[in-house]
């Protein structure tokens, strides 16, 4: 196991029972590789009758596409394969379809946990840590599928889904939601660790809660913000 991860497990084992280590995990692109979800949605769009009829060449090309672990979102995936649609309406249609599908319960079953992710979260749980999942997914569209996906993939989750924190609605941005969570988070522990892939979220959480220990999970991110500086430890995975 990565020495940083080993250290967190060992810290969890040494914490007193009345002050357990708290480990907070983002989901998308932190614990889960979402590229199979992206692939499935693009294939479904490409196989719609109206798309096959109006755009036969584009449809055939999209049906061969496999999103990579290193692809972020739908636009970057399409750009990587040099997909240049013949008209803008087609791409708008695809992106709209993708957004509705990606942020829904329906396709979460295609997400694949990164190697070692479930093992690491379970090791922490067994070591006495309290586990939280803090995600930009929202309750109305994605709670049900998120619970099923965590359970099906062997992540620890209590019967009442304690510690699972989703946005109450899609109106709030991910980074504001996460910053708000930490502002009001009543930490019972001296050891609170946050695992996250998105630099923007990391920067804001670091600002509002400097006592939180943050690990940058170096998978993929939006590229909207510069990556965290060297004082934030980073891991490339959970193996
Ligand atoms: Mg994420």
């Amino acid at each position: 196991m990565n020495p940083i991860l080993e250290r967190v497990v060992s810290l969890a084992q040494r914490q007193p029972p009345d002050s357990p280590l708290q480990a907070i995990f983002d989901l998308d692109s932190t614990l889960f590789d979402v590229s199979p979800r992206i692939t499935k949605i693009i294939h479904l769009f490409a196989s719609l009758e109206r798309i096959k009829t109006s755009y036969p060449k584009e449809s055939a090309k999209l049906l061969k596409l496999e999103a990579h672990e290193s692809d972020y979102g739908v636009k970057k995936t399409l750009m990587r394969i040099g997909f240049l649609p013949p008209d803008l309406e087609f791409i708008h249609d695809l992106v709209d379809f993708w957004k509705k599908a990606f942020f829904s319960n329906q396709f979460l079953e295609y997400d694949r946990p990164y190697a070692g992710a479930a093992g690491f979260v379970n090791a922490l749980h067994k070591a006495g840590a309290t586990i939280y999942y803090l995600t930009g997914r929202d309750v109305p569209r994605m709670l049900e599928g998120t619970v099923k996906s965590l359970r099906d993939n062997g992540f620890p989750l209590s019967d009442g889904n304690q510690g699972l924190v989703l946005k109450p609605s899609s109106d709030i941005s991910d980074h504001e939601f996460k910053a708000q969570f930490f502002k009001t988070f009543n930490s019972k522990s001296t050891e609170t660790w946050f695992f996250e892939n998105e630099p923007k979220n990391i920067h804001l959480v670091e600002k509002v809660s400097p006592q939180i220990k943050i690990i940058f999970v170096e998978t993929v991110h939006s590229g909207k913000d510069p990556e965290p500086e060297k004082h934030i430890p980073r891991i490339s995975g959970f193996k």
Side-chain angles (χ1 to χ4, degrees), residues 25-34 114 133-135 137 146 150 164 166 178 195 197:
F25 294 91
D26 167 53
L27 296 180
D28 291 341
S29 304
T30 289
L31 293 179
F32 288 98
D33 169 17
V34 301
Y114 289 113
Y133 305 101
L134 175 66
T135 171
R137 298 177 187 179
T146 299
L150 286 168
L164 174 59
L166 278 76
K178 289 187 180 184
F195 296 77
N197 72 299

Side-chain angles (χ1 to χ4, degrees), residues 1-2 13 19 33 38 45 50 78 121 123 143 176 199 222:
M1 196 188 278
N2 179 309
Q13 285 162 342
S19 173
D33 169 17
I38 297 175
F45 175 80
R50 65 182 168 88
L78 295 174
V121 181
L143 173 63
E176 280 165 14
S222 66

